Amino acid sequence: MPMTRPDPERFQHLLHEHQGIVLKVAAIYAPHAEDRRDLAQEIGLQAWRSFARYDPARAKFSTWLYRVALNVAISHLRRGEAAWRTKLEPLDAHHLDTVAGEPAPEPDERIAELHAFIGRLDPLNRALIVLYLDERSYAEIAEILGITETNVATKIGRIKQTLRGRMAAAAPTGA
């Protein structure tokens, strides 16, 4: 049953406990520090506004927060697409450090190519890969993004296939 009157302390506790989700999504959709802070604030504000409708019986808080965060990030991106398009850049090690929560290993051309590939994905496919790399199940990804598990599997399969093709094309030919 959804909450009728949100408890600010409970919300703050849950948001603090799951702040990594907000930071990951902000890092993936806003490459510049100032934009990341703005987007993270917008996600937190929207999560608070929606918290009264959060129903723990229907979804884990992390699933619900991912849904809110990705919806805010994708909407934010679409609203200011022209302005954001000039700001979007391929992901680099810094962005993925934020996602992984640990420093990136030594620079590797193949990893750099992978990061660039992910950075060029459209907002929905980027969300899919973020959730996939966060080891979310297809069922949870489907629930967060509002698509079917079959659609999740198909899209991830296509992304992997495209990635394999690009990585093979970028691989040095042996002699």
Side-chain angles (χ1 to χ4, degrees):
M1 170 180 256
M3 299 175 157
T4 54
R5 187 169 176 225
D7 175 355
E9 287 183 29
R10 182 166 185 262
F11 175 76
Q12 286 179 337
H13 172 76
L14 288 169
L15 186 61
H16 180 74
E17 188 176 316
H18 298 280
Q19 68 182 341
I21 291 171
V22 173
L23 298 176
K24 280 181 207 173
V25 171
I28 296 299
Y29 286 91
H32 302 287
E34 187 175 320
D35 295 333
R36 278 193 299 275
R37 281 191 299 273
D38 290 347
L39 184 54
Q41 279 186 326
E42 193 174 333
I43 291 168
L45 179 62
Q46 186 57 47
W48 169 245
R49 287 179 178 155
S50 302
F51 190 58
R53 294 187 302 274
Y54 166 61
D55 183 354
R58 293 185 60 204
K60 294 186 295 187
F61 184 79
S62 61
T63 300
W64 177 83
L65 185 58
Y66 253 125
R67 188 178 318 130
V68 170
L70 288 168
N71 282 336
V72 169
I74 291 171
S75 294
H76 192 84
L77 192 64
R78 288 181 177 155
R79 268 195 321 266
E81 193 158 310
W84 279 71
R85 198 175 290 272
T86 62
K87 293 180 179 180
L88 282 177
E89 60 188 44
L91 297 177
D92 60 21
H94 162 73
H95 300 113
L96 293 175
D97 284 351
T98 303
V99 172
E102 57 192 53
E106 292 296 316
D108 180 317
E109 286 182 30
R110 292 178 57 88
I111 291 175
E113 181 64 28
L114 173 64
H115 295 177
F117 173 76
I118 293 170
R120 288 189 296 266
L121 293 172
D122 65 63
L124 177 61
N125 285 331
R126 195 182 293 193
L128 273 164
I129 290 301
V130 167
L131 295 167
Y132 178 76
L133 292 175
D134 202 26
E135 299 180 355
R136 301 288 169 164
S137 70
Y138 284 7
E140 195 172 5
I141 294 171
E143 183 180 346
I144 290 168
L145 297 177
I147 59 178
T148 65
E149 281 185 60
T150 303
N151 201 354
V152 169
T154 301
K155 286 180 177 286
I156 288 177
R158 287 180 183 155
I159 292 168
K160 285 179 175 179
Q161 187 175 9
T162 302
L163 177 61
R164 273 193 289 273
R166 289 195 184 174
M167 297 301 274
T173 54

